[in-house]
């Protein structure tokens, strides 16, 4: 491991806030989960704070530093959160994460329903909008696993982002990300809605929280019946065919971006 006796990172005092297990219901309704500001390292299930000076020391060798051989991937939604990274990569993983800003885009509700019944998100062009996000640095095996969990070629495309600004000094090179193939939900007269849980500057779109996005999705898909949110989430988590029907019904209510600042890989 890169955390040597000479370079010790401190565990975050509020690590449990970001790593405590949640129920399957909360997995849907609390999306995209809590994420700390700044840099961090998820190492053997521990959440360690990372600053620029520490990163410089851990990454001073371009061939064996903590970022060496890793692909920088912009985390737009739940991948920002240590809880989600722990779920995807397990207790043995070493994952460096650095802060970044996404310019001229907002984080908006996608026109799909996730397998755990959250309304997931994706970037959408928005001139002048700036979102504070982060970049997770993945080794080759982790990148392959991230592709699998994101459903490359089915739910998301792997893209090269063009408007990402690193907030730490890191080695130069492209930053990648994931973009929802289905587009975004038409939430207001041909416009998407932003995720209320992820703040942004210069926001142009109305904001919806997860409960509001769930209600909007159900209305557009014609399933806004008397089921509670708890009942609806439980049924969607248990029934892939029912999810697929809803995703198909959302197609006429999806918006595709025009001239987005990313390119499919």
């Amino acid at each position: 491991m890169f955390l040597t006796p000479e370079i010790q990172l401190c565990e975050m005092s509020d690590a449990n806030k970001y790593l405590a297990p949640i129920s399957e219901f909360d997995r849907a309704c609390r999306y995209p989960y809590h994420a700390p500001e700044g840099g961090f390292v998820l190492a053997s299930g521990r959440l360690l704070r990372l600053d620029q000076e520490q990163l410089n020391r851990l990454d001073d060798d371009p061939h064996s530093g903590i970022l060496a051989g890793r692909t920088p991937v912009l985390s737009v939604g739940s991948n920002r959160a240590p809880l989600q990274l722990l779920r995807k990569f397990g207790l043995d993983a070493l994952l460096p994460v650095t802060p970044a800003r996404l310019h001229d885009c907002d984080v908006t509700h996608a026109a799909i329903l996730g397998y755990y019944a959250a309304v997931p998100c994706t970037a959408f062009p928005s001139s002048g909008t700036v979102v504070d996000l982060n970049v997770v640095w993945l080794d080759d095996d982790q990148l392959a696993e991230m592709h699998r969990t994101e459903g490359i070629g089915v739910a998301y495309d792997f893209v090269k982002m063009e408007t990402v600004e690193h907030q730490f000094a890191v080695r130069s090179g492209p930053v990648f990300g994931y973009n929802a193939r289905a587009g975004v939900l038409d939430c207001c007269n041909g416009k998407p809605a932003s995720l209320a849980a992820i703040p942004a500057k210069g926001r142009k779109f109305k904001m919806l929280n997860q409960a509001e996005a769930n209600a909007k999705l159900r209305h557009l898909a014609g399933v806004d019946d008397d089921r509670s949110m708890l009942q609806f989430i439980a049924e969607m988590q248990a029934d892939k065919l029912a999810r697929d029907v809803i995703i198909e019904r959302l197609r006429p209510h999806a918006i595709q971006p025009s001239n987005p600042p990313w390119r499919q890989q």
Side-chain angles (χ1 to χ4, degrees):
M1 184 178 289
F2 289 95
L3 310 182
T4 67
E6 295 78 23
I7 308 174
Q8 285 291 322
L9 303 184
C10 294
E11 190 160 9
M12 290 186 177
S13 59
D14 56 351
N16 189 60
K17 170 183 175 182
Y18 302 106
L19 294 175
I22 59 176
S23 69
E24 286 302 301
F25 174 68
D26 283 343
R27 191 177 175 190
C29 70
R30 291 188 183 179
Y31 177 96
Y33 322 123
H34 294 304
E37 295 181 358
F40 63 88
V41 176
L42 187 62
S44 300
R46 299 172 62 209
L47 187 59
L48 311 174
R49 193 169 296 282
L50 177 70
D51 63 25
Q52 180 71 69
E53 181 181 353
Q54 292 162 334
L55 177 62
N56 292 345
R57 296 173 67 195
L58 288 166
D59 200 49
D60 61 350
D61 188 323
H63 303 292
S64 62
I66 195 171
L67 303 185
R70 290 176 176 267
T71 300
V73 177
L74 183 70
S75 301
V76 171
S78 64
N79 291 328
R80 300 160 36 259
L83 180 65
Q84 185 75 317
L85 296 176
L86 183 63
R87 179 183 294 117
K88 289 189 175 187
F89 299 107
L91 288 171
D92 294 333
L94 175 70
L95 289 161
V97 177
T98 57
R101 288 181 181 143
L102 178 62
H103 290 262
D104 295 322
C105 285
D106 204 347
V107 177
T108 59
H109 297 276
I112 55 177
L113 186 64
Y115 73 91
Y116 47 93
V119 183
C121 67
T122 192
F124 194 84
S126 178
S127 179
T129 302
V130 182
V131 190
D132 285 320
L133 298 170
N134 64 36
V135 167
V136 57
W137 296 77
L138 303 174
D139 66 26
D140 290 346
D141 289 341
Q142 291 165 345
L143 182 62
E145 178 63 12
M146 186 70 89
H147 281 1
R148 187 191 69 79
T149 64
E150 295 296 315
I152 291 299
V154 179
Y156 284 84
D157 287 325
F158 188 57
V159 299
K160 183 168 74 171
M161 307 296 298
E162 298 174 352
T163 56
V164 177
E165 176 193 9
H166 290 289
Q167 297 303 289
F168 281 2
V170 298
R171 59 195 59 182
S172 62
V175 177
F176 300 90
Y178 297 94
N179 181 64
R181 294 170 64 90
V184 300
L185 279 179
D186 182 349
C187 292
C188 184
N189 300 320
K191 294 182 180 180
S194 308
L195 266 71
I198 300 180
K201 295 179 180 178
R203 183 160 265 166
K204 305 293 196 301
F205 309 131
K206 67 180 289 187
M207 292 185 293
L208 297 179
N209 61 32
Q210 185 63 209
E212 292 167 334
N214 181 285
K216 186 67 175 180
L217 177 145
R218 290 176 67 178
H219 172 71
L220 293 175
V223 291
D224 48 348
D225 46 39
D226 60 358
R227 283 176 292 180
S228 68
M229 187 174 177
L230 177 59
Q231 290 173 312
F232 178 76
I233 286 173
E235 291 177 18
M236 292 303 104
Q237 288 176 340
D239 192 340
K240 181 181 183 303
L241 290 179
R243 293 197 307 272
D244 289 345
V245 167
I246 285 178
I247 292 170
E248 186 62 32
R249 290 183 179 184
L250 293 175
R251 290 183 185 277
H253 307 287
I255 307 168
Q256 292 291 343
S258 176
N259 298 316
W262 58 76
R263 294 291 177 267
Q264 185 174 345
Q265 296 302 287

